[in-house]
């Protein structure tokens, strides 16, 4: 029987979606595993989250402390090290908080660490077989993780099928008293909200989205022309924003905008999970990429192996002539 | 400010079509094009800019083989003052914890105020910075997209969080930060710059030089091991449109019409 602790991030009294995905992941490790939710925070919001989780988990550990009001990874790590059994498996999401928390947590718990698991293929003895991706999703790998002395594992959000919240009838165990000294060398100051851009890509039904395949700033024009012809809006992947060719508000992805268009034209975009994570609502995805092995072809509806710099102008001409 | 930046030589995702070898268990490595991990260039650029502003020096370090020297030279051509190669057969097959242990030993040989890593590299694990910090008992922040050097005792850093928002923190020095792309614009490295540092000597430190605990490095001590590579099978896969460009465009337009794209 494997003991698994699932760390549940939350905001405004609402648990993150991954709370519903952990049970499926745990079952893939070991059908007889015991899965305990863990929440940290402070005050009524935390109680609200903990109560909600009792409909999904049989046991919910809550750690309430004013120092945990904002999820500062250093503080959360200290609390978890003091409360959790180090020989267990700890789940967290592979998001910006999990990435901040978990590598260090694995060191402090002296356990193994696997980041960004997308699937599990069971345990053999203490060896857990995990599926991951490398090189921006271009290749997958199997890794084994020796869980004998515990393991910290982050799960890719959306990779496991969510369960329905039901009536697990869970109990809440208050471990606030065990959190220990939570003084930190890193202090949270404030959240600076994203700037609003001139165009709201979240409102458009059709997006012509460009990635690094556009190659040069001047070529953005080519996408702009296609978008105009299609009465669409230009959005982009992150490298385009990093290069300052388009503003941040045009970026689709986990660290950019979440969009729900009807049609998404991915032009010269490889299809990393951080990019695809910003596309919701199951749009019709057209991918044009000169690499026939680009990962985007596994998630797109229609794939075209072409050079976008030649393909887009021709498509524009044709659309205009209609 | 004395700054150490950890960098890595990785297969270039833009330049390669990844194929499996004939045994189907590893990448076909014969013709792979390698480069510096994208995130590391931003980390080195940031270090150089900080030193330009407040003084100090930038050292780049990597764990790798002889060929990894080229990435150190590239980053030195950018403007890093020193390079160190950590290399030993005993390092081969180390997992993240092993690599972080090797880097820790090098960090302890110097006196650094700031240690930077890229937010992630080819394996997409994003683990080295956080592990290194925890081993050294230093504070850490990941996905840093802003650094304001303060009074020499603390720095103010912005972390990227979901939705394009930024989380501001104050962190005591020394500390470890992992750097996210977009924090700056890494400078262009020309062939002249590369030539200038071509003959600079780069010290190589072995396991014995570093005094690394032999029980945490190498394949045998790795708790996490890669078994094989395989080609992902995510979904049904796209319907590939083939034929002449004109035929493809005609077929695409029909589909776009039916899906509300035109
Ligand atoms: C914490 C974190 C958050 C992130 N958040 C985001 C995010 O919100 N959004 C985001 O997009 N990324 C995000 N990323 C980055 C992400 O991991 C990828 O690096 C990025 O999405 C890659 O962008 P791309 O597909 O445009 O570039 P690449 O991966 O370089 O792909 C370019 C593609 O273009 C193709 N190509 C090149 N030239 C041509 C041509 N002439 N014609 C046709 N095809 C061509 C290539 O074959 C390749 O497939 C994040 C990363 C991290 C670590």
């Amino acid at each position: 029987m494997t003991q698994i602790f699932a760390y549940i991030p939350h905001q405004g009294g609402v648990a993150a979606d991954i709370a519903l995905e952990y049970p499926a992941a745990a079952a893939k490790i070991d059908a007889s595993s015991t899965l305990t939710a863990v929440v940290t925070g402070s005050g009524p919001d935390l109680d609200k989250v903990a109560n909600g989780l009792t409909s999904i988990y049989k046991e919910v550990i809550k750690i309430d402390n004013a120092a945990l009001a904002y999820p500062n990874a250093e503080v959360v790590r200290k609390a978890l090290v003091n409360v959790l059994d180090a020989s267990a498996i700890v789940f967290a999401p592979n998001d910006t908080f999990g990435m901040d928390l978990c590598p260090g947590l694995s060191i402090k718990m002296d356990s193994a660490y696997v980041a960004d698991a997308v699937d599990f293929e069971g345990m053999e003895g203490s060896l857990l077989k995990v599926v991951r991706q490398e090189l921006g999703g271009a290749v997958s790998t199997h890794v084994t993780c020796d869980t004998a002395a515990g393991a910290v594992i982050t799960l890719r959000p959306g990779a496991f099928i969510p369960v329905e919240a039901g009536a697990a009838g869970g109990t809440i165990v208050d471990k606030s008293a065990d959190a220990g000294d939570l003084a930190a060398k890193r202090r949270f100051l404030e959240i600076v909200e994203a700037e609003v851009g001139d165009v709201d890509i979240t409102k458009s039904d059709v997006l012509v989205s460009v990635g690094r395949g556009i190659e040069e700033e001047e070529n953005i024009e080519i996408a702009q022309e296609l978008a105009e012809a299609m009465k669409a809006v230009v959005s982009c992947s992150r490298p385009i924003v990093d290069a300052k060719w388009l503003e941040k508000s045009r970026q689709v992805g986990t660290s950019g905008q979440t969009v729900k268009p009807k049609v998404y034209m991915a032009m010269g975009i490889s299809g990393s999970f951080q990019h695809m994570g910003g596309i919701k609502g199951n749009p019709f995805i057209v991918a044009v990429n000169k690499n026939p092995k680009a990962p985007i072809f596994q998630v797109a509806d229609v794939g075209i192996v072409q050079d976008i710099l030649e393909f887009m102008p021709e498509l524009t001409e044709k659309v205009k002539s209609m | 400010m004395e700054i150490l930046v950890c960098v890595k030589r990785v297969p270039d995702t833009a330049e390669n079509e990844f194929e499996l070898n004939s045994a189907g268990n590893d990448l076909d490595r014969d013709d792979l094009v390698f480069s510096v991990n994208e995130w590391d260039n931003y980390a080195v650029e940031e270090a150089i800019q900080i030193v330009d502003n407040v003084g100090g020096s930038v050292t780049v370090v990597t764990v790798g083989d002889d060929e990894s020297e080229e990435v150190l030279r590239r980053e030195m051509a950018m403007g890093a003052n020193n390079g160190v190669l950590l290399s030993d057969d005993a390092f081969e097959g180390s997992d993240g914890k092993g690599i972080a242990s090797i880097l820790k030993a090098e960090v302890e040989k110097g006196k650094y105020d700031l240690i930077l890593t890229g937010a992630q590299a080819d394996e997409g694990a994003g683990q080295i910075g956080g592990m290194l910090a925890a081993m050294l008992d230093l504070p850490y922040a990941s996905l840093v997209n802003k650094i304001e050097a303060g009074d020499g005792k603390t720095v103010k850093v912005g972390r990227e969080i979901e939705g394009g928002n930024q989380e501001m923190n104050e962190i005591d020095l020394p500390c470890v930060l992992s750097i996210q792309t977009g924090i700056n614009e890494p400078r262009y490295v020309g062939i002249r710059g590369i030539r200038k540092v071509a003959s600079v000597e780069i010290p190589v430190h072995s396991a014995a030089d570093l005094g690394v605990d032999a029980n945490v490095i190498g394949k045998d001590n790795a708790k996490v091991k890669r078994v094989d590579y395989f080609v992902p099978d995510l979904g049904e896969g796209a319907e590939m449109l083939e034929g002449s460009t004109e035929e493809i465009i005609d077929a695409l337009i029909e589909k776009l019409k039916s899906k509300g794209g035109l």
Side-chain angles (χ1 to χ4, degrees):
Chain A
M1 200 179 64
T2 315
Q3 170 70 57
I4 302 174
F5 294 106
Y7 185 80
I8 319 270
H10 56 92
Q11 213 176 18
V14 182
D17 289 346
I18 195 138
L20 295 168
E21 296 166 25
Y22 290 137
K28 283 201 155 181
I29 288 180
D30 170 2
S32 68
S33 55
T34 32
L35 180 63
T36 303
V38 183
V39 276
T40 63
S42 176
D45 265 4
L46 177 65
D47 289 326
K48 206 170 140 195
V49 176
N51 285 330
L53 289 170
T54 57
S55 70
I56 314 166
Y57 295 85
K58 289 240 163 60
E59 187 174 75
V60 180
I61 291 180
K62 109 176 162 177
I63 310 173
D64 188 333
N65 189 302
L68 294 164
Y70 184 82
N72 173 335
E74 185 182 338
V75 185
V76 172
R77 182 181 85 198
K78 286 188 171 183
L80 295 183
V81 169
N82 288 330
V83 169
L84 302 186
D85 174 357
S87 65
I89 291 175
V90 180
F91 280 166
N94 184 49
D95 60 8
T96 60
F97 178 70
M99 289 174 87
D100 211 31
L101 170 74
C102 292
L105 179 67
S106 77
I107 296 300
K108 295 298 182 190
M109 296 185 96
D110 203 12
S111 47
Y113 180 59
V114 178
D116 193 27
V118 298
D119 202 1
F120 295 111
E121 292 181 0
M123 284 261 219
E124 250 172 67
S126 66
L127 290 187
L128 174 63
K129 202 166 183 192
V130 189
V131 179
R132 307 185 64 248
Q133 292 182 342
E134 293 193 15
L135 298 162
V139 285
S140 290
T141 72
H142 288 105
V143 300
T144 55
C145 171
D146 189 348
T147 63
V152 174
I153 302 174
T154 62
L155 311 188
R156 179 177 296 184
F160 296 89
I161 295 165
V163 298
E164 301 270 333
T171 49
I172 297 175
V173 183
D174 190 341
K175 296 256 189 187
S176 307
D178 301 334
D181 175 17
L182 298 179
K185 292 190 233 174
R186 166 174 152 188
R187 293 162 295 274
F188 168 70
L189 300 173
E190 59 170 335
I191 300 285
V192 181
E193 304 252 335
E195 275 173 38
V196 189
D198 58 350
V199 177
D200 188 353
I201 62 170
T202 66
K203 298 253 157 71
S204 181
D205 275 345
V206 185
L207 290 171
V208 174
S209 207
V210 292
R212 185 139 42 195
I214 200 76
E215 287 171 18
E216 281 175 47
E217 183 167 15
E218 300 87 83
N219 296 339
I220 301 273
E221 186 75 32
I222 301 174
Q224 211 70 265
E225 280 164 15
L226 174 59
E228 258 162 53
M230 293 179 72
K231 299 191 182 59
V233 163
V234 172
S235 60
C236 65
S237 69
R238 176 169 186 134
I240 306 307
V241 173
D242 288 342
K244 303 209 159 50
W245 296 348
L246 285 172
E247 53 181 358
K248 180 86 182 169
S249 57
R250 301 253 188 175
Q251 179 187 319
V252 172
T254 54
S255 60
Q257 302 288 322
T258 299
V259 296
K260 283 186 187 170
K262 284 192 186 127
V263 172
Y264 191 80
M265 308 275 287
M267 312 305 268
I269 293 177
S270 62
S272 72
F273 85 92
Q274 289 104 346
H275 183 75
M276 303 316 287
I279 306 170
K280 301 278 170 196
N282 200 20
F284 184 70
I285 299 178
V286 177
V288 184
N289 197 302
K290 67 179 182 189
N291 176 3
K293 296 216 167 67
I296 186 111
F297 289 135
Q298 277 142 16
V299 287
D301 296 284
V302 163
I304 297 166
V305 181
Q306 289 255 341
D307 185 328
I308 54 167
L309 301 177
E310 288 159 22
F311 186 79
M312 284 198 290
E314 288 199 43
L315 179 58
T316 307
E317 280 313 305
K318 189 75 191 222
V319 172
K320 274 190 185 160
S321 72
M322 280 172 22
Chain B
M1 187 104 70
E2 295 304 311
I3 308 179
L4 182 73
V5 189
C6 307
V7 301
K8 186 178 181 187
R9 179 175 181 265
V10 302
D12 192 324
T13 50
E15 297 291 327
N16 293 299
E17 269 182 36
F18 295 99
E19 310 259 1
L20 300 187
N21 65 6
S22 50
N25 58 357
D26 192 8
L27 297 178
D28 184 353
R29 293 181 182 270
D30 288 349
D31 301 313
L32 283 188
V33 179
F34 285 81
S35 60
V36 184
N37 173 38
E38 181 183 5
W39 282 266
D40 300 346
N41 279 331
Y42 289 85
V44 172
E45 177 64 41
E46 195 63 19
I48 294 169
Q49 289 188 16
I50 293 172
V51 165
D52 283 349
N53 285 331
V54 304
S57 79
V58 179
T59 302
V60 285
V61 62
T62 191
V63 181
D65 53 16
D66 294 347
E67 288 179 298
S68 293
E69 210 191 274
E70 76 190 29
V71 308
L72 295 175
R73 288 201 194 280
R74 192 197 171 280
E75 302 308 82
M76 289 168 77
M78 259 176 101
N81 307 82
N82 316 297
V84 186
L85 175 62
L86 310 181
S87 192
D88 197 309
D89 290 346
F91 296 163
E92 223 163 281
S94 296
D95 61 6
K97 194 172 176 180
I99 300 291
S101 307
I102 297 162
L103 289 167
K104 168 181 179 263
E106 178 61 31
V107 171
E108 285 174 335
K109 287 175 89 75
K111 206 175 171 334
Y112 298 101
D113 305 295
L114 195 56
I115 297 150
L116 305 182
T117 69
Q120 62 172 35
D122 52 337
E123 291 178 22
Q127 59 192 351
I128 299 300
M131 288 184 168
L132 184 59
M135 287 178 179
L136 291 162
D137 248 324
L138 295 179
Y140 173 66
S142 66
L143 300 167
V144 168
N145 61 3
K146 183 177 194 158
I147 302 179
E148 287 173 29
D151 51 8
K153 294 197 179 67
T154 61
V155 280
K156 213 168 144 183
V157 306
R159 289 188 62 238
E160 179 181 279
I161 54 173
E162 272 71 24
N165 299 333
Q166 188 184 42
E167 173 197 283
M168 297 304 298
N169 292 274
E170 183 189 59
I171 303 191
D172 295 347
L173 291 174
C175 68
V176 182
L177 306 175
S178 87
I179 304 300
Q180 174 65 309
T181 59
I183 185 173
N184 53 41
E185 285 177 71
R187 68 197 64 190
Y188 176 74
V189 180
I191 193 79
R192 269 180 58 208
I194 302 266
R195 266 204 217 112
K196 237 170 84 186
V197 297
S199 57
V200 178
E201 202 176 323
I202 292 183
V204 182
H205 295 166
S206 66
D209 296 333
L210 293 167
V212 193
D213 178 358
N215 293 318
V216 293
I217 55 170
K219 189 163 187 172
D220 291 346
N221 295 308
K223 286 184 181 173
V224 178
K225 293 182 190 166
R226 186 190 298 112
V227 184
D228 61 10
Y229 286 95
F230 64 99
V231 178
D233 176 24
L234 290 179
E236 296 293 298
E239 175 193 344
M240 303 303 287
L241 299 186
E242 276 153 18
S244 69
T245 305
E246 216 179 309
E247 285 162 1
I248 291 175
I249 287 178
D250 287 342
L252 176 61
I253 284 179
E254 284 318 303
K255 288 188 186 295
L256 288 173
K257 278 184 183 158
S258 72
K259 299 292 174 182
L262 282 171

